[in-house]
């Protein structure tokens, strides 16, 4: 018996990193998982490794793409039991370097895209459903150059509290997770290849457990929040950070 037998889940950004690991974990526990992402090839490969999954390519910043995603979920006819609003954009810019385009890009995806991801799921959410919003430890600190990203993740943590209150009457739980520094393909998008090893070592040195986390370790927390193991957890922010912002 899987913990999510017969359940339906959506994981945005399910083709790589944390989202892919979460989609695999939810599927391994019996859920049928809908995964999104903009790159179709990447998404097709992801479905092969996830198992019981449906790919709906799209951009969470585009409302029409979200409508197509939820049309596909609706067509399956079983509502939605778990939503992991995971897709996000990152980028470095100090205040002096920040452009209007940088702010628009990060906030359009992380804030506006996540708001619409959860809002458009509302008609489909079954009683007992769980919504998990991917925030970040960066919401709590002031890492140089990460201001807009950090602000976007702080906004998501805040939304999770409000949505938890607004949806609890329907039997829907909303929580956030805050991963620490997790070794995913996102890192190579932010750091030149020749600096990757040094950056990984620098990140690891800041973590009390002495290493970066894995996507699978975050996926375990997502499963906890998606499953009946967490029925008394509401509006929380579950840190998966090796103690980075805790001790
Ligand atoms: P990743 O390996 O680069 O994966 C990102 C996923 O999101 C990919 O599937 C990507 O596919 C998808 N995606 C990106 N922008 C999208 C958009 N506009 N619409 C739809 N899908 C989109 O990154 P990751 O490290 O797993 O990050 C996943 C989430 O965790 C992000 O929200 C990130 O902020 C958060 N997080 C990461 C860390 C970390 O240390 N890695 C720590 C805290 C929080 P396409 O590119 O094909 O669209």
């Amino acid at each position: 018996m899987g913990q999510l037998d017969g359940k339906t889940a959506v994981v945005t950004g399910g083709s790589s990193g944390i989202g892919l690991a979460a989609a695999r974990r939810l599927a391994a526990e019996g859920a049928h998982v809908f995964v999104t992402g903009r790159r179709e090839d990447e998404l097709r490969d992801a479905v092969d490794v996830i198992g019981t999954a449906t790919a709906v390519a799209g951009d969470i910043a585009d409302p029409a793409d979200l409508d197509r995603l939820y049309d596909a979920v609706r067509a399956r006819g079983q509502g939605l039991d778990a939503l992991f609003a995971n897709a996000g954009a990152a980028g470095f810019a100090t205040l002096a370097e920040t452009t209007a385009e940088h702010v628009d890009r990060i906030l359009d995806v992380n804030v506006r895209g996540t708001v619409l991801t959860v809002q458009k799921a509302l008609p489909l959410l079954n009683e007992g459903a769980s919504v998990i919003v991917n925030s970040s430890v960066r919401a709590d600190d002031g890492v140089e150059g990460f201001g807009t990203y950090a602000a976007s993740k702080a906004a998501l943590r805040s939304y999770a509290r409000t949505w938890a209150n607004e949806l609890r009457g329907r039997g829907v739980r909303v929580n956030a997770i805050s991963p620490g520094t997790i070794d995913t393909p996102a890192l190579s998008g932010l750091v030149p290849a020749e600096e990757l090893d040094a950056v990984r070592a620098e990140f690891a040195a800041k973590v009390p457990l002495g290493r970066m986390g894995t996507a699978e370790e975050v996926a375990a927390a997502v499963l906890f929040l998606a499953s009946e193991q967490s029925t008394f957890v509401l509006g929380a922010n579950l840190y998966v950070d090796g103690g980075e912002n805790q001790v």
Side-chain angles (χ1 to χ4, degrees):
M1 278 280 286
Q3 294 186 55
L4 300 177
D5 277 342
K7 305 286 188 188
T8 305
V10 164
V11 177
T12 62
S15 60
S16 172
I18 292 169
L20 176 58
R24 289 182 75 167
R25 194 69 205 271
L26 300 181
E29 291 293 337
H32 184 97
V33 186
F34 287 81
V35 283
T36 72
R38 293 161 302 174
R39 291 164 299 164
E40 294 193 19
D41 289 355
E42 203 85 357
L43 207 53
R44 246 191 315 274
D45 292 348
V47 167
D48 288 342
V49 297
I50 295 167
T52 333
T54 303
V56 184
D59 185 340
I60 63 159
D62 183 339
D65 285 358
L66 288 171
D67 287 338
R68 278 193 303 105
L69 165 68
Y70 291 123
D71 283 348
V73 177
R74 190 173 294 107
R76 196 162 171 270
Q78 296 184 27
L80 183 59
D81 302 292
L83 166 60
F84 182 30
N86 162 74
F92 287 109
T94 63
L95 177 59
E97 294 160 352
T98 295
T99 59
E101 290 70 29
H102 176 79
V103 175
D104 285 348
R105 182 175 73 84
I106 304 286
L107 298 189
D108 265 5
V109 176
N110 295 6
V111 181
R112 182 171 164 275
T114 303
V115 170
L116 294 178
T117 297
V118 178
Q119 185 198 49
K120 286 177 178 289
L122 290 177
L124 287 162
L125 291 170
N126 293 326
E127 185 168 356
S130 170
V131 175
I132 302 140
V133 177
N134 201 350
S135 181
S136 169
V137 289
R138 298 287 86 85
D140 303 336
D141 58 27
V143 170
E144 228 174 285
F146 238 17
T148 306
Y149 175 81
S152 74
K153 293 299 187 176
L156 295 186
R157 194 285 167 260
S158 175
Y159 271 124
R161 287 188 201 277
T162 308
W163 296 340
N165 239 340
E166 290 178 354
L167 301 187
R168 65 187 159 80
R170 285 180 53 182
V172 173
R173 293 180 302 111
V174 182
N175 291 286
I177 57 162
S178 282
T181 46
I182 310 299
D183 202 353
T184 71
L187 192 58
S188 43
L190 291 173
V191 176
E194 62 279 11
E195 291 173 26
L196 268 177
D197 286 346
V199 169
R200 280 198 182 94
E202 197 184 308
F203 282 162
K206 291 184 184 144
V207 181
L209 286 182
R211 61 178 176 84
M212 293 178 73
T214 66
E216 288 70 26
E217 289 172 311
V218 182
V222 173
L223 171 62
F224 169 71
L225 290 174
S227 75
E228 292 194 353
Q229 301 298 316
S230 61
T231 46
F232 205 51
V233 182
L234 180 77
N237 182 18
L238 178 51
Y239 287 89
V240 188
D241 68 350
E244 186 175 348
N245 280 18
Q246 317 308 317
V247 297

